Amino acid sequence: MSTPPLNQSPVGEASSSANTLEREAIDRCDQKMLELSSKFPDWYELYDETLPDNAPREEVVELLRTAPNDFAMGLLYGKFTMRLELEAMTGRPFQ
């Protein structure tokens, strides 16, 4: 008995569909990041230099506080809450 190619199986179709949806979502976010960099260059430069995935808590809070639009605020909120989760899982303080 032979196995059908992935692109002909329901699992393959679901996977392909999921990949397409993922790519579309990432493309939309990439566009929003480009808009941030062009519409708010000073804030974006600070964001880019701060590296909020590793920055001290006070710097992440400052970026969150000064976020110029809802997308930027959501981006920083996600990074902030991920850092809180990492703190809870690892015991390493987010200071």
Side-chain angles (χ1 to χ4, degrees):
M1 171 157 74
S2 68
T3 306
L6 280 178
N7 63 358
Q8 293 180 3
S9 71
V11 172
E13 289 172 19
S15 178
S16 177
S17 177
N19 288 341
T20 298
L21 293 173
E22 178 182 315
R23 182 73 259 154
E24 289 171 358
I26 295 298
D27 287 347
R28 284 195 330 262
C29 290
D30 285 345
Q31 183 59 41
K32 292 289 190 182
M33 291 299 287
L34 286 172
E35 288 175 20
L36 268 180
S37 67
S38 65
K39 291 181 179 178
F40 308 101
D42 293 339
W43 185 89
Y44 189 83
E45 182 178 357
L46 181 61
Y47 168 82
D48 199 39
E49 291 174 355
T50 299
L51 301 172
D53 291 333
N54 301 308
R57 186 181 191 128
E58 66 188 36
E59 292 179 25
V60 178
V61 169
E62 181 62 13
L63 282 169
L64 183 58
R65 189 186 69 73
T66 61
N69 63 21
D70 289 343
F71 178 79
M73 185 177 286
L75 176 67
L76 267 297
Y77 179 77
K79 290 179 179 291
F80 186 85
T81 57
M82 176 55 74
R83 298 282 301 272
L84 293 175
E85 289 297 320
L86 287 172
E87 177 182 55
M89 291 186 308
T90 66
R92 182 176 170 210
F94 174 31
Q95 302 177 352

